Amino acid sequence: MRRPPGFPMLTGRESLVRLIGKRRRFLPNRHSLLSSASSLQSCLNLGTDESGKIVSLEDRGVLSLPERKVKDSGDGVENGECVLKTAVSDWVTCPVCGKKVRGGDYSINLHLDTCLARGTKRKVTQRTLLQLNFSPQPKIQVSPFELDLEQSTVHVVRNNPHEDSANGGHEVDKIEIGDGLLLNGCARSFGSECQLARKVESASLSPKKVAFHSDIGVDNKDIFGTVVETFIVGRKFSDEKELKLGMAISLLREPENVKDPSAIKVLSADSGCCLGYLPRSLAQYVSPLIEKHCLSFEISCHGTIPCGEGKHDDVDSIKCLWTSILQEVEAARKNPPSMTKYQQNFSLLIHEVLNRSSNLFTDDEKLFMESFTSLSDDSQRLFVRLYSRKGPWFRLSNISYPEISDALQAVNELSGKGYMIPFDCTEGLQTDEMMGILRVLTISELREISCMPKKKGSQNSRKKDLIASALCSYRDGLCPVLPSVLLDKAGVCVKISPRAETVFWRAERIFFLNGEQDLSTFLLVDLGAVKYPTYNCTISEQIFSSRSQLLDYEEAIEVAQLMDESLDENHANQVLRCLKIADSRVDLPSEHVSRSSIPGSEAAFISCFTASWVYSKVILLGISYLERERRYPDAINLLKQLLDCFPSDGRRGYWTVRLSINLEHLGFLDESLSVAEDGLLDPWVRAGSRMALQKRVLRLGKPPRRWKIPRSFEITKWKIKEVHVQGRPLNCEMGQKSRFYGEDGEQCGVEQLALQYYANEGGCWSGIHTESGIWLTMFGLLMWDVIFSDVPNVFRTKFQIAFI
């Protein structure tokens, strides 16, 4: 796991790293995102000083325009030391004291309780509480383009937050024009994509999972006596190395084969030696014909399989199997054994994505992806090989794969088609590109660069220091010829083009629907290291309804990666920029509208693929960062933002606990107690978070704050017997797993230490540490048929690692 040395893992960091997956080599919006962060409206008012320490911009005399207006006009409201800085439109007037308060329910109620407790009298000219509308006035903004009122019907719709909970409890004003939607001055089109139920097919996966659809018609006369072509695979297991044309061969079922229970061995009819196996994709259909239907086959070494007659009571079943055989033979003809497995898997990924989600790509992107299959085999293999590596720059002299005959010719073809970019020192190079080229050099080559300053004792310098020294010399003008020197030293260097990187990363993300899986998942399945259960993928509702929604999601992933990189480099200013971006975009109105028509069970799953959900993870990590820096007021503002934006979310429990704790850090004990009590009334606060809030209510709710303990809290007062196990610790460092010396003198964890303790208590105890693995396994086995039943929109990929 990536984290700065010496720092414990921040809460939310591991989850964010899993969401990002493999870091992208090229972020198309990196510079635009970071440059626009300073102009965004956010509740954060933080910056960094010259030493990189986080400070308040107010303390430095720097305020953004909306915040300065709030300060100067007296519209801000202070709650102790916690200053809430929001736009003026989010504030409402208190009917008791006349001050401005934040327009959230919790802030209004808290302020009213304080005013009424002080005995402040209501002004005569103000309305009563029953007459006051605390909601800010709605704003309807129309785009500045002309509307053809004769062609389009304009409807103004106002959603009631009490009737439509999908809008997050906020009122949304919409102006609908035909098939489009105008929201806050931006035109968004829902498009005319036709979402139909379809079966997801994959020729590389378990055959029982695949529903084949073919136009091939099969009659009885077409089956018996038909000749089909195939190949013999697994020749490395052959006892006879040489095959002679016309030699007689036979088939033998091998059900005890561990790798493939449907395996069919190819034997020499004369000597009985093993010649190899039938392809797995073909054997899965030939095996039932041999075992169940007792069909016999005559094989000759002409690449043909004549089918002889046998027992065929179930003609329909034989026809179905034979149709599948013909389809597999046709697929094998299109993808001959000369195509490597990873090359075939990559082509399959492209084919599946274009079939299922073509509406998410432009015409140019689809043509670019389809052109991959027209490349030569060497070019396809080289691209997939380099795409799977870290990079970004690759040295041609170091590229050597046995299945690629001419790497230079493949590089030239890929460069001409726009899949790769060669290193060119004549163009202006960025610092990142220079660093990438320097990294491909060896330490001895870096020392040989003549323009680098020679220092005493530099023979043992690290590669990182040598690269930094070369870049510093280039920036200072001491080594202006560094690009040409690098070209001479490194030779031909190439990298994946930004266009190819973006398009294929998007295809990979749509195919796997997560960042943890990549092309190596195919390899694990092909090797038999990982086996996925048998299930059908029936998709009737697309996850990304439009291209704009996908692009918003991709941009949010970029912000998450920037946040992760900034924490690695301990770059506080960039961390705050990413946090401001996430705070300003966490509540996208367009996503509320798109989720309003989805049922609750599916909406919870699809919401994980929205930009708002990704930004919420960035904000949670930022909250942990601010708490570590003891910036509790800013962490409180962000927690309130999350609770307001996500009224139906399983993470509300943790957010409420942290809000109560941070309020206690600032000395607001009454407010902390109120937050904990309100959290217990939230139906989305469950399990450990509910217990933590109950303990906080018991601890903070002592007289005179609270005089009576709720009856439901009696369970928290139970005294549980505690057992103390003594052990000799090996380490006491924060962020690392504790290690001890066990009873046998060997090193062990705390779980093994507890097992050894109970094993010595009379010798009647024995146990294992499985982290609930036994119970989960039993549940999975008992509910197997229910879990993997055919329910639409539950399973979306053949490599699915979770479901709703």
Side-chain angles (χ1 to χ4, degrees):
M1 192 61 61
R2 304 181 292 264
R3 67 174 181 266
F7 287 97
M9 177 68 71
L10 293 173
T11 302
R13 181 78 184 275
E14 184 177 357
S15 176
L16 192 74
V17 170
R18 288 200 306 267
L19 173 66
I20 298 169
K22 181 182 177 181
R23 286 183 177 176
R24 298 177 64 178
R25 291 176 286 245
F26 169 74
L27 296 179
N29 302 309
R30 175 190 293 268
H31 299 292
S32 60
L33 286 171
L34 295 177
S35 60
S36 64
S38 58
S39 61
L40 296 175
Q41 292 187 4
S42 171
C43 63
L44 293 177
N45 190 29
L46 300 176
T48 55
D49 56 13
E50 291 77 5
S51 61
K53 184 180 178 181
I54 297 179
V55 296
S56 174
L57 296 180
E58 182 180 353
D59 298 336
R60 296 173 55 186
V62 179
L63 282 176
S64 62
L65 184 58
E67 295 167 346
R68 186 177 297 276
K69 290 182 179 180
V70 172
K71 273 292 185 183
D72 295 343
S73 61
D75 290 334
V77 57
E78 295 189 4
N79 186 3
E81 298 177 0
C82 182
V83 182
L84 306 179
K85 302 177 177 61
T86 57
V88 179
S89 60
D90 293 333
W91 297 78
V92 294
T93 304
C94 174
V96 180
C97 64
K99 292 184 178 180
K100 295 288 185 179
V101 295
R102 191 169 181 262
D105 293 339
Y106 173 77
S107 301
I108 293 174
N109 294 333
L110 181 62
H111 180 80
L112 287 176
D113 291 340
T114 305
C115 288
L116 295 175
R118 288 200 306 261
T120 306
K121 294 183 178 180
R122 179 178 58 87
K123 293 183 179 181
V124 180
T125 57
Q126 290 181 329
R127 291 173 291 178
T128 63
L129 294 178
L130 297 177
Q131 296 171 326
L132 183 65
N133 180 14
F134 283 102
S135 302
Q137 294 299 320
K139 294 183 178 180
I140 302 178
Q141 303 176 2
V142 184
S143 294
F145 54 79
E146 296 181 359
L147 300 178
D148 188 358
L149 299 180
E150 296 180 358
Q151 299 293 333
S152 303
T153 304
V154 181
H155 306 279
V156 178
V157 183
R158 182 176 177 97
N159 289 340
N160 192 326
H162 301 289
E163 296 176 357
D164 186 5
S165 60
N167 290 327
H170 301 285
E171 299 184 28
V172 179
D173 294 286
K174 302 178 292 185
I175 300 180
E176 298 180 358
I177 305 177
D179 295 332
L181 175 68
L182 287 176
L183 182 57
N184 292 337
C186 298
R188 292 190 181 269
S189 175
F190 290 116
S192 58
E193 298 87 359
C194 183
Q195 300 174 351
L196 301 176
R198 60 174 66 92
K199 294 284 186 179
V200 180
E201 304 169 0
S202 174
S204 177
L205 306 178
S206 178
K208 298 179 181 179
K209 308 174 189 175
V210 182
F212 291 94
H213 304 280
S214 175
D215 297 330
I216 301 177
V218 179
D219 297 330
N220 293 343
K221 298 180 180 179
D222 295 332
I223 297 178
F224 303 106
T226 303
V227 178
V228 294
E229 298 181 353
T230 186
F231 304 91
I232 299 178
V233 298
R235 290 282 296 146
K236 62 182 178 180
F237 304 107
S238 173
D239 299 329
E240 192 167 331
K241 301 301 180 183
E242 185 178 354
L243 294 179
K244 297 180 180 179
L245 191 64
M247 69 180 299
I249 26 186
S250 60
L251 300 180
L252 177 65
R253 279 283 290 114
E254 193 179 26
E256 67 278 4
N257 191 299
V258 180
K259 296 291 185 181
D260 182 16
S262 302
I264 297 179
K265 187 181 294 186
V266 181
L267 303 176
S268 172
D270 299 330
S271 62
C273 297
C274 176
L275 303 178
Y277 291 84
L278 284 185
R280 178 181 297 186
S281 58
L282 187 63
Q284 60 185 327
Y285 303 113
V286 177
S287 297
L289 293 176
I290 295 177
E291 292 182 339
K292 183 178 179 180
H293 302 286
C294 302
L295 264 68
S296 60
F297 294 85
E298 297 178 1
I299 318 290
S300 63
C301 194
H302 289 86
T304 62
I305 304 181
C307 177
E309 294 198 12
K311 298 180 181 180
H312 47 89
D313 298 332
D314 191 356
V315 179
D316 293 335
S317 177
I318 295 177
K319 287 182 179 180
C320 181
L321 291 171
W322 191 251
T323 301
S324 301
I325 289 176
L326 295 179
Q327 290 174 342
E328 290 297 335
V329 170
E330 180 66 18
R333 186 184 64 81
K334 295 180 179 179
N335 300 310
S338 60
M339 178 180 288
T340 57
K341 196 63 179 178
Y342 65 84
Q343 178 186 357
Q344 184 178 349
N345 292 336
F346 193 78
S347 300
L348 173 65
L349 184 147
I350 296 174
H351 176 73
E352 290 289 339
V353 170
L354 289 177
N355 277 351
R356 288 186 297 170
S357 308
S358 59
N359 62 305
L360 302 179
F361 297 88
T362 63
D363 294 338
D364 291 340
E365 291 172 344
K366 286 185 283 189
L367 290 175
F368 184 75
M369 295 173 65
E370 291 170 352
S371 66
F372 178 81
T373 57
S374 64
L375 298 173
S376 64
D377 286 340
D378 281 350
S379 298
Q380 292 185 31
R381 295 166 187 168
L382 181 62
F383 179 83
V384 178
R385 283 282 196 178
L386 299 186
Y387 179 79
S388 304
R389 290 173 56 179
K390 184 178 179 180
W393 287 97
F394 304 97
R395 207 170 177 179
L396 184 60
S397 58
N398 294 339
I399 298 176
S400 177
Y401 299 105
E403 69 273 18
I404 300 176
S405 57
D406 193 341
L408 180 59
Q409 183 177 355
V411 166
N412 292 333
E413 183 180 3
L414 290 170
S415 301
K417 295 296 181 64
Y419 287 88
M420 285 188 179
I421 296 179
F423 172 65
D424 188 1
C425 64
T426 59
E427 299 180 359
L429 294 178
Q430 301 291 334
T431 304
D432 295 340
E433 295 180 344
M434 295 282 293
M435 183 178 297
I437 297 296
L438 287 169
R439 285 174 179 169
V440 304
L441 300 179
T442 62
I443 294 181
S444 59
E445 289 173 334
L446 288 172
R447 293 199 185 107
E448 292 173 1
I449 297 179
S450 58
C451 59
M452 287 180 56
K454 301 297 186 295
K455 298 181 180 179
K456 294 183 179 180
S458 61
Q459 292 297 321
N460 296 325
S461 298
R462 297 180 301 174
K463 186 174 184 178
K464 181 180 179 180
D465 299 331
L466 293 173
I467 293 175
S469 177
L471 290 175
C472 183
S473 301
Y474 178 72
R475 285 194 298 263
D476 296 341
L478 301 177
C479 186
V481 296
L482 181 61
S484 58
V485 174
L486 289 179
L487 184 60
D488 294 337
K489 288 288 183 183
V492 180
C493 293
V494 294
K495 71 173 183 178
I496 305 295
S497 66
R499 182 186 183 188
E501 173 77 21
T502 301
V503 171
F504 290 115
W505 180 90
R506 182 178 302 154
E508 204 172 19
R509 196 79 179 195
I510 294 173
F511 184 85
F512 292 109
L513 295 178
N514 62 76
E516 297 181 83
Q517 294 177 309
D518 52 18
L519 294 175
S520 61
T521 307
F522 283 100
L523 179 62
L524 296 176
V525 174
D526 294 334
L527 295 177
V530 176
K531 293 184 178 181
Y532 291 87
T534 301
Y535 54 82
N536 293 324
C537 296
T538 306
I539 301 175
S540 61
E541 187 74 30
Q542 295 294 331
I543 287 185
F544 300 103
S545 59
S546 63
R547 176 178 170 85
S548 61
Q549 185 181 352
L550 173 62
L551 295 180
D552 291 340
Y553 176 74
E554 288 185 10
E555 194 169 75
I557 295 292
E558 290 188 45
V559 176
Q561 179 172 331
L562 290 173
M563 183 74 165
D564 189 35
E565 293 174 353
S566 304
L567 289 173
D568 274 351
E569 301 168 359
N570 202 18
H571 198 319
N573 189 25
Q574 192 161 305
V575 169
L576 295 179
R577 289 188 178 186
C578 296
L579 197 51
K580 288 181 179 179
I581 295 172
D583 179 40
S584 63
R585 302 182 180 183
V586 69
D587 190 19
L588 295 178
S590 59
E591 293 183 353
H592 294 306
V593 175
S594 63
R595 293 197 299 265
S596 60
S597 60
I598 302 175
S601 59
E602 295 183 23
F605 175 75
I606 294 181
S607 64
C608 298
F609 300 94
T610 60
S612 296
W613 191 80
V614 178
Y615 287 132
S616 68
K617 285 188 167 292
V618 176
I619 292 178
L620 178 59
L621 181 56
I623 290 171
S624 301
Y625 182 80
L626 293 174
E627 289 175 343
R628 192 181 70 184
E629 301 296 327
R630 302 184 184 277
R631 308 294 304 190
Y632 299 117
D634 301 287
I636 289 173
N637 290 337
L638 291 176
L639 286 168
K640 291 180 178 179
Q641 172 85 334
L642 291 177
L643 290 170
D644 289 342
C645 294
F646 298 91
S648 304
D649 197 291
R651 299 169 293 176
R652 289 179 61 85
Y654 178 79
W655 298 340
T656 306
V657 172
R658 294 311 309 173
L659 178 58
S660 179
I661 292 175
N662 290 335
L663 286 171
E664 185 182 5
H665 285 324
L666 295 178
F668 305 135
L669 302 183
D670 292 334
E671 292 81 354
S672 177
L673 177 58
S674 299
V675 168
E677 291 175 337
D678 293 341
L680 293 176
L681 301 177
D682 191 338
W684 289 92
V685 177
R686 306 179 183 126
S689 298
R690 177 168 291 275
M691 295 179 60
L693 291 176
Q694 288 176 343
K695 292 180 179 179
R696 293 192 61 79
V697 170
L698 288 176
R699 183 171 60 83
L700 297 174
K702 296 178 180 179
R705 295 192 188 94
R706 299 292 185 273
W707 294 95
K708 186 177 180 180
I709 298 177
R711 183 175 299 178
S712 60
F713 280 39
E714 294 296 331
I715 190 174
T716 61
K717 301 173 64 176
W718 290 358
K719 297 297 182 181
I720 302 176
K721 181 181 177 180
E722 295 183 359
V723 178
H724 297 274
V725 180
Q726 294 183 353
R728 291 185 298 164
L730 289 172
N731 59 338
C732 299
E733 298 181 8
M734 184 179 298
Q736 294 185 1
K737 183 176 176 61
S738 300
R739 304 291 297 174
F740 300 89
Y741 283 111
E743 299 289 341
D744 53 358
E746 299 292 334
Q747 297 184 16
C748 65
V750 64
E751 297 85 6
Q752 287 75 21
L753 188 65
L755 290 174
Q756 293 178 7
Y757 172 82
Y758 282 102
N760 295 331
E761 289 290 316
C764 59
W765 291 95
S766 63
I768 56 175
H769 173 228
T770 61
E771 296 285 358
S772 302
I774 295 178
W775 306 112
L776 293 176
T777 302
M778 292 176 60
F779 177 83
L781 292 176
L782 293 174
M783 298 294 177
W784 186 275
D785 295 337
V786 178
I787 293 174
F788 297 104
S789 59
D790 290 342
V791 179
N793 301 321
V794 172
F795 294 98
R796 295 177 173 270
T797 169
K798 291 299 180 180
F799 302 105
Q800 194 153 323
I801 57 178
F803 46 86
I804 58 175

